[in-house]
Amino acid sequence: MKSQYFVIKNLNGEKRFVKVDEELTVEEFMAYFSLYVKEAYPITEDEYKKCTGDK
């Protein structure tokens, strides 16, 4: 599944919600950000907005 929105766990174990410019698979996302991210899960735009309060 490709997505612009992800839930990530950074190297400190903190959960974050991120939006990227282009749609990526989890594998592509991890290839780009593996130095900063321990885990990543794709989410929908609606889930991102609910979790971040972004409109």
Side-chain angles (χ1 to χ4, degrees):
M1 172 179 145
K2 287 194 169 203
S3 182
Q4 282 185 274
Y5 306 92
F6 293 87
V7 176
I8 65 159
K9 188 178 282 186
N10 66 19
L11 298 178
N12 295 329
E14 301 166 325
K15 182 170 72 169
R16 302 271 191 226
F17 298 93
V18 296
K19 177 183 176 185
V20 293
D21 291 336
E22 62 182 76
E23 288 191 345
L24 302 170
T25 65
V26 171
E27 293 81 10
E28 292 168 330
F29 183 90
M30 290 301 292
Y32 291 128
F33 300 106
S34 63
L35 294 177
Y36 312 103
V37 175
K38 190 186 315 185
E39 298 174 31
Y41 304 96
I43 59 175
T44 65
E45 182 177 4
D46 288 338
E47 291 170 321
Y48 175 83
K49 288 179 178 180
K50 285 179 188 174
C51 294
T52 62
D54 195 17
K55 295 184 179 179

